[in-house]
Amino acid sequence: MCGRYVMARAVGDLLADFDAELEDEVSIPPSWNVAPTDAVPIVLERLVDGESGNKHVRQLHVARWGLVPSWAKDPGIGSRMINARSESVLEKPAFRKAMQSRRCAVPADGYYEWKQGPGKSKQPYYVHSGPGHGLVFAGLYEWWKDPTWPAGEPGGWLLSTSILTTDTPPPGSESTVFGKLTELHDRVPLPMDNATMQAWLDPQADDPAGLVDLVRAGVKDVAADWHVESVGKEVGNVRNNGPELIRPVEALF
């Protein structure tokens, strides 16, 4: 599950981290409380014509979080499409075509999860990697054409994205973090390292099922250095947004 996350890196840092370029100038304000339908950065690869044939170009784009299928009547459906289960992504009409050829990487500094306590009490936690390292989730993207847009007028296209999820790795001797993650939720956003991201983004890859298996197989290695820290309840309100949201606090239970 991934319903809120942190993405506070500057555009220049993202371009350097992912060795990507911009097709158009973008503005991505830092956010410590990214919520569904917010504008978020994604990284994708395209095939473009070059002097010596087609070449891969890695680009940074801004997309709305919550995938809107091309056949949707309106973008409202996207708020229910922020996550895609990796086990069934090829079976779902909303994600099947995107999985074939519109795969992306979704950068994050970390994400939030809530632990249920006594009664209605919940404790938010911030899950993140080691110092100086961000997270990269496997994602999908889609283009949706606004049917109300005047014919012949430029624009009218909405770029949207969804983050894939997978089963939380079971606790074991590899890392104590998996026990903590299991206590929070039975699902985690599907993470990638550099090698699996290279394969995932390849626009010429023609085995989507194999790509899902490849990324899922690396979850334990990628997540082994994750940290889980309790944070303040203020993160529960989407109007709160600042670095103080990820400051560790003593857990309520």
Side-chain angles (χ1 to χ4, degrees):
M1 179 63 184
C2 181
R4 297 277 185 85
Y5 69 96
V6 176
M7 182 63 261
R9 272 174 283 171
V11 170
D13 292 334
L14 289 170
L15 294 175
D17 290 345
F18 289 91
D19 192 22
E21 60 185 44
L22 293 174
E23 184 175 46
D24 299 299
E25 289 298 318
V26 298
S27 175
I28 312 173
S31 178
W32 289 266
N33 203 356
V34 176
T37 74
D38 282 354
V40 299
I42 64 171
V43 177
L44 55 89
E45 285 190 6
R46 298 172 57 191
L47 280 177
V48 298
D49 292 331
E51 293 182 359
S52 57
N54 291 339
K55 65 175 182 177
H56 291 201
V57 175
R58 183 174 294 181
Q59 297 177 333
L60 178 72
H61 289 260
V62 177
R64 173 171 158 163
W65 186 23
L67 189 138
V68 180
S70 59
W71 42 259
K73 294 182 179 179
D74 63 73
I77 191 175
S79 62
R80 305 193 301 275
M81 302 283 186
I82 62 171
N83 293 153
R85 293 178 67 93
S86 57
E87 301 89 338
S88 58
V89 69
L90 282 167
E91 303 167 10
K92 302 298 183 181
F95 303 119
R96 191 164 50 219
K97 287 187 177 180
M99 184 61 217
Q100 294 284 342
S101 58
R102 289 182 289 278
R103 297 175 298 275
C104 66
V106 182
D109 295 329
Y111 72 98
Y112 298 107
E113 193 57 81
W114 278 259
K115 182 179 180 180
Q116 183 66 53
K120 296 183 179 180
S121 63
K122 291 184 178 181
Q123 172 66 59
Y125 284 82
Y126 180 51
V127 183
H128 61 99
S129 190
H133 298 284
L135 306 181
V136 185
F137 302 138
L140 303 174
Y141 69 94
E142 189 61 271
W143 290 97
W144 178 78
K145 178 67 173 178
D146 186 348
T148 67
W149 198 264
E153 291 290 326
W157 288 94
L158 173 67
L159 177 62
S160 61
T161 189
S162 182
I163 295 173
L164 271 67
T165 66
T166 188
D167 291 331
T168 301
S173 58
E174 301 92 339
S175 173
T176 59
V177 72
F178 299 123
K180 296 178 181 179
L181 290 171
T182 301
E183 291 179 2
L184 296 180
H185 205 282
D186 61 355
R187 307 287 296 177
V188 294
L190 184 59
M192 301 187 291
D193 60 15
N194 285 335
T196 52
M197 184 182 70
Q198 285 277 124
W200 182 260
L201 294 181
D202 184 355
Q204 293 182 296
D206 59 1
D207 182 13
L211 287 175
V212 172
D213 291 342
L214 174 69
V215 179
R216 282 169 52 86
V219 172
K220 271 204 164 186
D221 289 337
V222 178
D225 71 339
W226 285 6
H227 301 272
V228 180
E229 296 174 325
S230 52
V231 294
K233 63 181 181 181
E234 292 78 12
V235 69
N237 188 331
V238 295
R239 290 189 293 271
N240 296 326
N241 198 325
E244 68 278 358
L245 295 181
I246 63 174
R247 187 179 301 135
V249 302
E250 185 175 352
L252 300 173
F253 49 84

